[in-house]
């Protein structure tokens, strides 16, 4: 299927970054919590993304939510792209060199795809590396050091704070990202769902839209998910093993 595809769309979720040591949100092979600072370990134990990753949580306790996100930001900066990320970057390079189309939609906010060399990346949930002013929306580039003041005052407006440039539950997805993703899905002939539980809107919708347009579909996941029944092929295993193998198989000729 991959050899014959003219236009590929890949949707990734937290599972592809778990082999880089970053935690997933639901089930799967989450990295160990042992390396967390004690207060963050407690937060992970009680962490429910549906309640902590919300504008309301930030409003109620901006100190706690900022600390949490800054700790995660540093985790992403220190993590390294793994063979799954690298194989997708290589696949894009080969497909575009051959005049074929490749679009990577990601729900991940860690920027590991870009650091692996992927170029046509659509960030559906923003990213955790950049933060923005709550009043003006202006982006602020943070350094590699932890922030020192929580909540963090914005340099751009008196009384405003900095918040991560991620999409929280209840917030709109970036319009440009949804548009780019929808366009790519409309015209793809092969869709991959990789390392995602495929339950959070609009990720789930993209797979169904691709299927309705007649695209083939492949899932790569450590476990069965909501997507498993909808795809043609389930590759059950770790993305870091499956993707390099798939790449090798697809280019061997
Ligand atoms: P989830 O945590 O919901 O799902 C991770 C998936 O990755 C699970 O299906 C695991 O079985 C699978 N998995 C784990 N390790 C894997 C590996 N090494 N190789 C392949 N698969 C593996 O993460 P997402 O689907 O990304 O949204 O979650 C979607 C959104 O929900 C996130 O972007 C976040 C969250 O709440 C927001 O924060 C808005």
């Amino acid at each position: 299927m991959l050899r014959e595809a003219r236009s590929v769309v890949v949707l990734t979720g937290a599972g592809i970054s778990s082999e880089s040591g970053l935690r997933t949100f639901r089930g799967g092979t989450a990295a160990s919590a042992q390396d967390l600072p004690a207060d963050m370990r407690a937060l992970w134990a009680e962490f429910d993304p549906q309640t902590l990753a919300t504008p309301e949580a930030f409003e109620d306790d901006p100190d706690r939510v900022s600390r949490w996100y800054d700790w995660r930001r540093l985790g992403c900066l220190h993590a390294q792209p793994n063979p799954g990320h690298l194989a997708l970057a290589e696949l894009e390079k080969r497909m575009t060199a051959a005049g074929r189309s490749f679009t990577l939609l990601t729900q991940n906010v860690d920027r590991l795809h870009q650091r692996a060399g992927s170029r046509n990346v659509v960030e559906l949930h923003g990213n955790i590396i950049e933060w923005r002013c709550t009043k003006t929306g202006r982006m602020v580039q943070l350094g590699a050091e932890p922030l020192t003041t929580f909540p963090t005052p914005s340099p751009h407006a008196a009384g405003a704070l900095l918040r991560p440039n991620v999409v929280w539950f209840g917030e709109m997805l970036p319009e440009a990202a949804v548009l780019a993703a929808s366009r790519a899905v409309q015209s793809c002939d092969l869709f991959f769902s990789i390392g995602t539980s495929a339950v959070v809107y609009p990720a789930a919708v993209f797979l169904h839209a691709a299927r309705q347009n007649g695209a083939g579909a492949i899932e790569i996941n450590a476990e069965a998910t909501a997507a498993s029944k909808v795809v043609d092929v389930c590759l059950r295993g770790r993305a870091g093993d499956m993707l390099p193998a798939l790449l090798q198989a697809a280019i061997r000729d």
Side-chain angles (χ1 to χ4, degrees), residues 12-16 18-19 24-30 49-50 53 69 107-108 125 167-169 194-200 220-225 237-240:
T12 62
I16 195 167
S18 71
E19 291 161 69
T24 59
F25 296 92
R26 302 170 190 81
T29 50
Q50 311 258 10
Y69 272 96
Q107 299 166 94
N108 299 344
H125 292 166
V167 176
W168 281 330
F169 284 100
I194 304 178
T196 174
S197 54
V199 290
V200 174
I220 299 180
N221 200 300
E223 300 168 352
T225 72
R238 296 171 4 137

Side-chain angles (χ1 to χ4, degrees), residues 16 20 43 56 64 93 109 119 142 149 151 164 183 191 193 208-209 213 218-219 222 236-237 252-253:
I16 195 167
S20 295
L43 209 50
E56 293 76 23
R64 183 165 103 131
K93 211 167 106 191
V109 296
R119 303 179 79 92
L142 304 178
T149 317
R183 280 209 186 110
F191 188 97
S193 178
H208 288 276
N213 292 335
I218 299 176
E219 175 179 59
R236 196 65 67 228
R252 191 184 51 214
D253 263 338

Side-chain angles (χ1 to χ4, degrees), residues 3-253:
R3 280 192 195 132
E4 282 165 20
R6 305 295 313 162
S7 174
V8 168
V9 169
V10 174
L11 170 70
T12 62
I16 195 167
S17 293
S18 71
E19 291 161 69
S20 295
L22 300 178
R23 305 265 317 212
T24 59
F25 296 92
R26 302 170 190 81
T29 50
S32 151
Q34 296 314 311
D35 53 345
L36 303 184
D39 54 335
M40 289 298 164
R41 207 176 306 154
L43 209 50
W44 259 125
E46 67 185 60
F47 177 52
D48 171 6
Q50 311 258 10
T51 55
L52 201 55
T54 66
E56 293 76 23
F58 184 67
E59 218 161 274
D60 287 353
D61 195 345
D63 180 320
R64 183 165 103 131
V65 173
S66 307
R67 276 178 202 279
W68 162 247
Y69 272 96
D70 194 45
W71 178 80
R72 283 185 57 204
R73 177 181 76 86
L74 293 172
C76 293
L77 286 177
H78 290 132
Q80 296 303 323
N82 66 54
H85 295 110
L86 295 168
L88 284 178
E90 183 62 25
L91 184 60
E92 176 181 9
K93 211 167 106 191
R94 286 171 185 268
M95 284 200 65
T96 47
R100 300 189 287 164
S101 155
F102 185 94
T103 307
L104 177 46
L105 317 179
T106 189
Q107 299 166 94
N108 299 344
V109 296
D110 53 37
R111 284 266 156 109
L112 288 177
H113 284 304
Q114 290 90 334
R115 285 174 53 202
S118 288
R119 303 179 79 92
N120 192 18
V121 182
V122 178
E123 289 178 332
L124 295 166
H125 292 166
N127 76 83
I128 205 171
I129 308 300
E130 298 166 323
W131 288 36
R132 66 173 197 255
C133 173
T134 50
K135 210 171 261 176
T136 66
R138 276 177 70 181
M139 291 304 169
V140 174
Q141 301 300 327
L142 304 178
E145 298 303 314
L147 291 169
T148 48
T149 317
F150 297 100
T152 312
S154 165
H156 295 306
L161 299 175
L162 288 184
R163 58 156 286 179
N165 187 33
V166 298
V167 176
W168 281 330
F169 284 100
E171 293 184 323
M172 303 280 286
L173 269 62
E175 208 177 312
V178 175
L179 199 65
S182 307
R183 280 209 186 110
V185 167
Q186 290 297 320
S187 57
C188 77
D189 53 13
L190 182 57
F191 188 97
F192 282 90
S193 178
I194 304 178
T196 174
S197 54
V199 290
V200 174
Y201 173 85
V205 173
F206 290 141
L207 170 61
H208 288 276
R211 293 303 268 165
Q212 268 171 7
N213 292 335
I218 299 176
E219 175 179 59
I220 299 180
N221 200 300
E223 300 168 352
T225 72
S228 304
K229 288 199 179 81
V230 185
V231 297
D232 297 299
V233 181
C234 292
L235 298 176
R236 196 65 67 228
R238 296 171 4 137
D241 298 328
M242 292 292 173
L243 280 166
L246 188 67
L247 180 67
Q248 280 308 313
I251 61 177
R252 191 184 51 214
D253 263 338

